[in-house]
Amino acid sequence: MAATVVGALVLLGTVLVALVGGAAPASAHGFSSVVYAHVTSEDSGVVRARLGLEYDLMLVSVGTSEHADAFYRQGQAAWDDGDFPAMTRVAEQHRDTMADYVLDRFSVTSGGRECRGTLQQPMHVDMQDEVPYAEVVADFRCPTSSHTAAGHVVTSKLFPDSETFVKDTKTIVTYAVDSQEGSATLDADRPSFSTEQSAGARFWEFFTLGAEHLLTGIDHILFLVALIAGSRRLREVVFTASAFTIAHSITFILAALGVVSPPSIVVEPLIALSIAAVAGWYLWRLFRRRSHADELIVPDGGRFALDRAGWTRLAVVFAFGLIHGLGFAGALGIHEAFSWQLLVSLLIFNVGIEAVQLAIIVIVFPPLSLLRRKAHRASLWVTGIVTAGVFVMGMIWFVERLAAG
């Protein structure tokens, strides 16, 4: 009885938390907006920041904060028409307004003293992450040499929560300053970083970013719960989780480096459909085999002790893992040319994802396994109810994302 209660509570609790969070928007990926910043220093006294800003968000934020109604109206008309040259012209015409907004929220200091920023020409508007982005270049002239004990400190408070237009904006920074190269991620909790930050600090930033993404990406959690609930033995959990990890790592890195770039209008519905498919697979097995649904029948000499159904499921999970990797890459929002610094950051981000994934398996599977041994029929009811809930949630998301697209 104790095993039944513990196993049921752990599995149901995990899914209930996920489903409560799942009542949120159809798209469970990505941050509300991503700002790109490439920071370099070719001159000993000047730091250059090449910023990528989501164009329509920039119109609203700049127009409201700087009381620039003309900028908003003209830019919105160009945006509605998809006229990129016109969008660029509007930005150029209102350079001073944009400078006031951007330089008030993005800054560089050297040796504890503020560097004076100016917006440069020309501006440019192009597609990125399937939406128009404005590329703005700002030069920061610093009062001290670039080689100081404290290095340069970069701070980004662009598109803050206080403006109420977006929430949880992330600024992804790649930099080559003070003979240091690397990547960093900034948000409301960590708005600044030093170019002389330690390797450990850089590791922790991207590790926590990956962990936070999986914890807040409720669709990935439900996918993982469906995998665990439908796995009959520990080895099956290990094999399917490994297949999922390898698959999403492949497409995650390829997409984040810009090698492949499928539209989110395709990726997001497929992720939702994958959740329903994995849950539906187990429900169908329950329907057909009833009390024998969790039996693992392995013929003599079976490779890795998996039966035919196990190998088929493994292949399906691998295919869906490739799709989930595209979702992870879209959330991180990096689409840059290859560099070793960027690749290391991507791998660390992936390590953060895997840490949370393993933690969920460790928390959920042992009580479920105990429940199967001590109260077999009850375990089938619990896993059936859980996967039915996951299936329904996946189908709801699938329809919502198709409609939103």
Side-chain angles (χ1 to χ4, degrees):
M1 180 62 68
T4 302
V5 172
V6 171
L9 286 179
V10 169
L11 192 58
L12 282 173
T14 302
V15 175
L16 285 175
V17 170
L19 291 177
V20 168
S27 178
H29 287 100
F31 311 103
S32 60
S33 186
V34 176
V35 174
Y36 304 95
H38 183 57
V39 181
T40 58
S41 180
E42 298 179 0
D43 186 300
S44 60
V46 177
V47 173
R48 168 162 288 188
R50 194 176 299 275
L51 306 175
L53 310 172
E54 195 171 340
Y55 190 84
D56 59 335
L57 175 59
M58 180 188 72
L59 291 176
V60 177
S61 296
V62 175
T64 302
S65 299
E66 305 300 324
H67 306 289
D69 292 340
F71 173 56
Y72 171 75
R73 289 195 306 271
Q74 295 166 13
Q76 188 65 48
W79 188 84
D80 289 339
D81 294 338
D83 189 339
F84 286 87
M87 284 188 268
T88 300
R89 286 195 300 272
V90 171
E92 291 281 3
Q93 291 166 3
H94 296 271
R95 174 181 301 278
D96 291 342
T97 301
M98 288 188 59
D100 291 341
Y101 180 88
V102 171
L103 298 178
D104 185 49
R105 291 161 176 78
F106 190 93
S107 61
V108 178
T109 61
S110 177
R113 300 173 62 186
E114 187 171 352
C115 303
R116 183 170 57 86
T118 55
L119 234 56
Q120 303 300 305
Q121 292 182 339
M123 294 186 185
H124 182 65
V125 180
D126 204 349
M127 289 293 288
Q128 188 164 344
D129 292 344
E130 302 169 52
V131 296
Y133 261 74
E135 184 181 275
V136 178
V137 178
D139 280 351
F140 294 87
R141 186 164 296 279
C142 301
T144 58
S145 170
S146 63
H147 298 286
T148 63
H152 287 80
V153 175
V154 177
T155 301
S156 177
K157 298 179 181 179
L158 291 161
F159 308 139
D161 290 2
S162 59
E163 290 182 346
T164 71
F165 303 120
V166 294
K167 187 177 181 181
D168 299 329
T169 298
K170 300 288 182 180
T171 299
I172 304 296
V173 183
T174 56
Y175 62 90
V177 182
D178 299 334
S179 300
Q180 301 286 339
E181 296 183 6
S183 304
T185 176
L186 306 179
D187 55 23
D189 295 327
R190 298 179 296 270
S192 303
F193 82 98
S194 170
T195 56
E196 293 190 359
Q197 66 177 346
S198 66
R202 291 197 298 272
F203 176 95
W204 183 248
E205 284 182 356
F206 277 87
F207 178 87
T208 55
L209 184 62
E212 287 171 0
H213 174 63
L214 189 62
L215 286 172
T216 56
I218 206 67
D219 47 2
H220 293 300
I221 292 179
L222 288 185
F223 182 82
L224 188 58
V225 167
L227 287 183
I228 296 171
S231 295
R232 295 162 289 180
R233 299 292 184 272
L234 177 60
R235 59 175 171 265
E236 201 169 29
V237 174
V238 172
F239 290 156
T240 52
S242 298
F244 179 65
T245 295
I246 293 170
H248 81 63
S249 297
I250 292 171
T251 48
F252 165 71
I253 294 176
L254 290 178
L257 292 174
V259 177
V260 295
S261 184
S264 63
I265 193 175
V266 174
V267 173
E268 293 295 333
L270 285 178
I271 288 175
L273 188 61
S274 74
I275 298 168
V278 170
W281 182 291
Y282 181 65
L283 291 174
W284 176 247
R285 187 176 178 85
L286 273 176
F287 175 76
R288 291 189 61 191
R289 297 182 59 83
R290 308 290 179 174
S291 62
H292 302 289
D294 57 356
E295 288 184 0
L296 184 63
I297 304 172
V298 183
D300 293 338
R303 287 171 296 176
F304 300 105
L306 283 181
D307 57 9
R308 182 177 178 181
W311 280 108
T312 303
R313 184 170 180 264
L314 202 64
V316 171
V317 169
F318 184 86
F320 285 144
L322 295 173
I323 298 170
H324 281 248
L326 301 174
F328 288 137
L332 184 57
I334 295 182
H335 299 277
E336 303 288 344
F338 175 84
S339 70
W340 288 111
Q341 291 77 20
L342 180 57
L343 180 60
V344 170
S345 298
L346 296 176
L347 292 175
I348 293 171
F349 179 89
N350 209 34
V351 169
I353 291 174
E354 298 315 316
V356 175
Q357 179 174 292
L358 288 174
I360 293 173
I361 292 174
V362 168
I363 291 171
V364 174
F365 188 76
L368 178 59
S369 180
L370 181 63
L371 180 63
R372 280 175 172 153
R373 290 199 303 270
K374 300 297 184 180
H376 182 249
R377 186 173 294 276
S379 74
L380 295 177
W381 275 101
V382 170
T383 54
I385 292 171
V386 166
T387 49
V390 173
F391 175 81
V392 170
M393 204 68 228
M395 290 305 299
I396 290 173
W397 276 333
F398 177 66
V399 173
E400 285 182 342
R401 293 176 186 184
L402 280 181

